[in-house]
Amino acid sequence: MYKEIDNVKTYFHNFELIEPSKQSVLFIAGAGMDHRFVRALNLLDEEFNPPLVIDLPGHGETQGSSRNQIEDYSGFLGEALIDLKISNLTICGYSMGGLIALDLIINKKLSVKSLILLNSIAPMMVSSSLVELANKGNSFAADFIIKYGLSKNLIGIKNIFPSNINQTMFDDLTACRNYLPNEALLLEMEIPVNIILGGKDRLIDPEQAKVFASNLSSEINIIDDAGHFPFFENPIELSNIIKSLTS
């Protein structure tokens, strides 16, 4: 379904299928991505609503332009969610989406049952070389992320990234690189926070992930045979972990 949010025609994926009695998981996409990244996930139909996604400005089916600050994206999603009043809601933020989810909860005060950070920690180390590639074009940045993030050959994986010549990847990666959550507010979160990482993800430093998880008293769940794209590399195990963390 579509709604106008801040004068932007916005795509709400699967929201028309929500049943209030079931659990809901709102997935927030990574840099350049949109609702298509959840298509291989399989949650229990009798217990869960289908995966929910709101395409960010300039991404997927949502109009407008991409933003270069995490706070702008979280503010947009906060406005999008304000009237929906979804019960039993867990947020699962993937990569950049994890930073957006953190900001939604600690600064925008969105009330949720729990938070899952998928291939995401804060601060997020984004190399200057990757940002420079993104400034050349979306395709260059996508090639870099696939090279260092993908654990196995998956035909068509590049289709998940934008193929046009806009600045979406540059804006998103700049937002990730510059975002620093308020540490005091981060430590005051009173909801369960769980982290899921791919054991073969070369874009996330495992030692930094351990420090981040320790500060939040969070558990790290490792998918051994996945890299930075577990929703395509091992969607069955990822689905099972998400179900176990939200049940």
Side-chain angles (χ1 to χ4, degrees), residues 14-187:
N14 285 331
F15 277 71
E16 71 279 6
L17 302 176
I18 293 176
E19 295 182 31
S21 61
K22 294 183 179 181
Q23 297 195 63
S24 295
V25 183
L26 172 66
F27 293 85
I28 306 179
M33 298 184 186
D34 56 50
H35 63 278
R36 294 172 297 161
F37 87 106
V38 300
R39 61 193 177 197
L41 295 180
N42 183 20
L43 305 179
L44 291 171
D45 291 343
E46 62 271 21
E47 185 177 350
F48 289 87
N49 285 305
L52 306 176
V53 184
I54 301 173
D55 281 351
L56 298 169
H59 296 69
E61 298 297 320
T62 293
Q63 297 178 355
S65 301
S66 53
R67 317 285 171 85
N68 61 10
Q69 294 187 66
I70 293 297
E71 294 87 348
D72 286 347
Y73 283 138
S74 66
F76 181 85
L77 289 184
E79 286 295 316
L81 292 166
I82 196 167
D83 293 326
L84 294 177
K85 296 180 173 56
I86 304 171
S87 59
N88 298 317
L89 178 64
T90 291
I91 290 186
C92 179
Y94 163 66
S95 196
M96 178 183 79
L99 303 183
I100 297 171
L102 284 171
D103 200 69
L104 256 176
I105 293 167
I106 65 176
N107 287 323
K108 308 303 187 295
K109 307 303 182 185
L110 180 70
S111 178
V112 297
K113 185 176 73 170
S114 62
L115 171 63
I116 298 172
L117 298 174
L118 175 60
N119 296 84
S120 183
I121 61 172
M124 186 173 289
M125 299 295 105
V126 179
S127 69
S128 57
S129 58
L130 176 54
V131 175
E132 290 169 5
L133 286 171
N135 197 30
K136 291 173 60 179
N138 293 322
S139 180
F140 295 99
D143 287 340
F144 182 102
I145 294 170
I146 291 169
K147 178 180 179 180
Y148 291 100
L150 192 64
S151 69
K152 62 185 73 173
N153 184 34
L154 291 177
I155 297 173
I157 185 68
K158 196 171 180 179
N159 294 333
I160 197 67
F161 292 99
S163 58
N164 49 21
I165 58 173
N166 61 24
Q167 291 284 96
T168 301
M169 292 296 289
F170 178 72
D171 284 344
D172 287 358
L173 292 169
T174 299
C176 291
R177 191 180 192 199
N178 293 338
Y179 181 69
L180 289 174
N182 183 305
E183 192 167 329
L185 294 177
L186 194 65
L187 298 178

